[in-house]
Amino acid sequence: MGASLLDQVLAETLDPAYARAAEARETPAAGDSSDGRRRGLGALAVAVTMGAAGLLFGVTYEQAASGEAGREAVRGALVEDIGAQSDTIDDLSAEHEDLRAQVADARADALAASAVGQRAIDDLDAAELAAGLVAVTGPGLLVTLADAEPDADADPVGGTDDGSGDVRDGDLQLVVNALWAAGAEAVSINGQRLGPTTAIRFAGEAVLVDFRPVTNPYRISAVGDPGELRSRFLASPEVNALAVISESYGLLFEFAQEDELSVPAGGVPELRSAAPFDGEPAEAAAGGSGG
């Protein structure tokens, strides 16, 4: 026993426990291997997620960029189309005015050859003036209406403005009707001629005169005898009521006599029906045919 123990000690100089510890370090345990695999899978998942996020961002950015470019292209095409149509309208309007002048000259030459024709010219001139189809220049009265100045204490964010300080279509209608009643021969608002069928309406935040928008301030030009226009205009009870309203709400309401005002011609009304003129009034002709 003694010899065998001595031989074993000499043969195995290293404690077996050290060998088992070294072997354990060289060969990972099952738990350590599982942790390593989990770490590897986690890193792979993070990489895949980041890649997907980057791809999604790239696709979204490309779509947004292409959409913005498309909208800009459509907007540019619309602006170009509007400009082209506006030029066409201007050209047609100029051609229309030129043709109207040619027709008027030819008509005057044809009618001026006889006394009956000359009377027809005079009647036609009066009718065109009443219909607002010819430009008028002369002395008259200039009336100005404007919105009230914004209140410094008003809240620009809270929207406290109720519109009571704005000029309305009814205000312009009142002034225009008072000018007609005072003897005005021709009236315009901001260069828009008023005729028998002209409407003054309020649409949203804009005032429309003959379906065309006019903006603040509103200048109403009335051609006629300045003195008579002024006195009869100021004597109107509706005008006095408007003056009180203007003072209460801060509206600008001014008038001035002018030595020369220019009122442009209005649009040509749509011709709905026509019949040859045989020299007799239409009522008489209709009555005679029915008898």
Side-chain angles (χ1 to χ4, degrees), residues 141-144 230-231 233-234 239 253-258:
L141 196 66
L142 177 63
V143 182
T144 302
R230 182 180 183 277
S231 60
F233 179 74
L234 294 180
V239 172
F253 182 27
E254 297 178 343
F255 63 92
Q257 295 182 201
E258 299 290 339

Side-chain angles (χ1 to χ4, degrees), residues 173-237:
Q173 292 171 5
L174 188 151
V175 171
V176 168
N177 289 335
L179 289 171
W180 285 127
E185 300 175 7
V187 179
S188 68
I189 300 178
N190 286 12
Q192 295 293 334
R193 178 70 174 271
L194 304 183
T197 60
T198 301
I200 302 174
R201 293 289 183 266
F202 199 71
E205 297 297 327
V207 176
L208 303 181
V209 175
D210 201 15
F211 302 104
R212 294 183 178 90
V214 292
T215 57
N216 177 71
Y218 307 95
R219 295 182 172 87
I220 303 98
S221 300
V223 174
D225 182 82
E228 183 178 358
L229 279 177
R230 182 180 183 277
S231 60
R232 297 180 63 180
F233 179 74
L234 294 180
S236 171

Side-chain angles (χ1 to χ4, degrees), residues 18 36 39 134 142 178 241 255:
Y18 287 102
R39 286 193 296 270
V134 292
L142 177 63
F255 63 92

Side-chain angles (χ1 to χ4, degrees), residues 59-206:
V59 171
T60 302
Y61 177 78
E62 183 178 359
Q63 290 179 348
S66 61
E68 183 66 23
R71 287 191 294 271
E72 288 296 326
V74 171
R75 181 179 180 275
L78 288 175
V79 170
E80 184 177 355
D81 188 34
I82 291 173
Q85 295 296 332
S86 299
D87 294 339
T88 301
I89 292 174
D90 293 340
D91 294 340
L92 291 176
S93 298
E95 183 180 358
H96 178 256
E97 291 299 325
D98 183 59
L99 292 175
R100 282 183 61 185
Q102 294 181 26
V103 170
D105 292 340
R107 182 183 62 204
D109 293 340
L111 294 176
S114 64
V116 175
Q118 187 60 51
R119 288 196 301 270
I121 291 177
D122 296 337
D123 293 341
L124 185 59
D125 290 343
E128 287 182 337
L129 177 61
L133 300 182
V134 292
V136 178
T137 301
L141 196 66
L142 177 63
V143 182
T144 302
L145 278 174
D147 297 341
E149 293 292 334
D151 189 357
D153 297 331
D155 182 8
V157 178
T160 56
D161 185 10
D162 58 358
S164 59
D166 296 341
V167 176
R168 301 285 179 169
D169 53 352
D171 303 328
L172 295 175
Q173 292 171 5
L174 188 151
V175 171
V176 168
N177 289 335
L179 289 171
W180 285 127
E185 300 175 7
V187 179
S188 68
I189 300 178
N190 286 12
Q192 295 293 334
R193 178 70 174 271
L194 304 183
T197 60
T198 301
I200 302 174
R201 293 289 183 266
F202 199 71
E205 297 297 327

